[in-house]
Amino acid sequence: METLQAAFFLFVFVPLVNPAPPLQQESLQFYEYDTDVSMGSLTQDHEMQSKDIRKDGANVSLDTSLMLQSDDSQLDVPPTKDTNLPTCLLCVCLSGSVYCEEIDIEAVPPLPKETAYLYARFNKIKRIAASDFADITTLRRIDFSGNRIEEIEDGAFSKLLLLEELSLAENRLVKLPVLPPKLTTFNANQNRIKSRGIKANAFKKLTNLAYLYLGHNALESVPLNLPESLRILHLQYNNITSITDDTFCKSNNTRYIRTRMDEIRMEGNPIVLGKHANAFSCLRMLPVGTYY
């Protein structure tokens, strides 16, 4: 009787004391972290792979760790003012050029310091602040065409000593900002600019300015002190009613010729150009407009 009781004790309790085989326990833990491994290879390579996993205390694979590091590095890029995306994810950055076109931004995004060309056309930008370009001294071209710009803070372009081309066309400006000295092209077509919104010496010191576009505004007169470098001047469809002998020429110097001026457009203004013949005596070509 005692022998049967001992045998029964071993038969019942021994299976309850022994743990499950190590392979089954480890395989479940491993499969949770790497779902690409098949069950057949899981059993065959279990010992080697489980050791590799335990090398990292957090049980994270090498590929996952690299992915996390990549994500962290992207967060170091400064975000834009309108979204949580870095500028070069929201826009396209390529070899010193930043393209932020038609993405509905409402402010100038933070730019990489080496930016030379900024294209931010057809957005919803309303204001340009002096801080927008304070540290971007490498800019050579800026295009803000087709925005909603009403205000440009004083000094917004004052530090851009390399800037050659600036377009503010198709906005809502009523006056011009102070322009950088090396501009060759300035486009402010289709705004709401009146003559009182342009300072008397706004263009005088721009000795490289060759192309000036001020068409489709509300100017009552031709801007004063136009530089000798000017080749193309567009003033069509404004409210210009009069010009003087000194507007383009020099009334006290009959031998003066404006040799570089190739084109002046003044059509669509209420002025009758035929009444001001002496105003064009220094030009090689007559302005486009109404003469009678």
Side-chain angles (χ1 to χ4, degrees), residues 90-103:
L90 183 67
C91 308
V92 176
C93 301
L94 181 64
S95 299
S97 298
V98 178
Y99 299 87
C100 298
E101 300 181 317
E102 298 184 87
I103 55 175

Side-chain angles (χ1 to χ4, degrees), residues 215 246 249:
D246 292 316
C249 304

Side-chain angles (χ1 to χ4, degrees), residues 120-190:
R121 297 178 292 190
F122 309 113
N123 286 291
K124 298 179 180 179
I125 299 173
K126 297 180 180 179
R127 182 175 182 273
I128 299 176
S131 58
D132 289 336
F133 305 114
D135 300 323
I136 315 297
T137 58
T138 54
L139 279 164
R140 294 181 178 273
R141 180 185 301 161
I142 297 175
D143 193 342
F144 283 123
S145 301
N147 279 275
R148 304 175 183 179
I149 301 171
E150 298 178 351
E151 179 187 0
I152 298 177
E153 191 174 340
D154 292 340
F157 305 118
S158 61
K159 295 184 179 180
L160 304 182
L161 301 181
L162 300 179
L163 192 68
E164 297 177 351
E165 300 179 30
L166 174 61
S167 179
L168 301 171
E170 300 179 53
N171 279 283
R172 302 174 183 178
L173 292 172
V174 296
K175 64 178 182 178
L176 293 184
V178 176
L179 300 173
K182 291 190 176 181
L183 274 187
T184 62
T185 303
F186 178 61
N187 189 344
N189 281 338
Q190 299 187 36

Side-chain angles (χ1 to χ4, degrees), residues 199-263:
K199 295 181 179 180
N201 295 324
F203 304 110
K204 185 177 182 178
K205 296 182 179 180
L206 304 184
T207 56
N208 295 324
L209 187 64
Y211 306 95
L212 177 58
Y213 304 103
L214 296 171
H216 296 270
N217 277 283
L219 300 175
E220 299 89 1
S221 61
V222 178
L224 301 174
N225 299 314
L226 296 173
E228 293 290 329
S229 58
L230 206 58
R231 294 181 55 191
I232 306 294
L233 175 62
H234 285 190
L235 297 168
Q236 68 272 25
Y237 297 98
N238 278 277
N239 294 324
I240 298 173
T241 56
S242 65
I243 54 178
T244 70
D245 293 350
D246 292 316
T247 300
F248 303 110
C249 304
K250 296 179 180 179
S251 59
N252 60 352
N253 185 354
T254 58
R255 296 184 178 181
Y256 169 74
I257 302 295
R258 191 179 275 272
T259 59
R260 297 185 181 180
M261 186 71 77
D262 294 327
E263 178 181 283

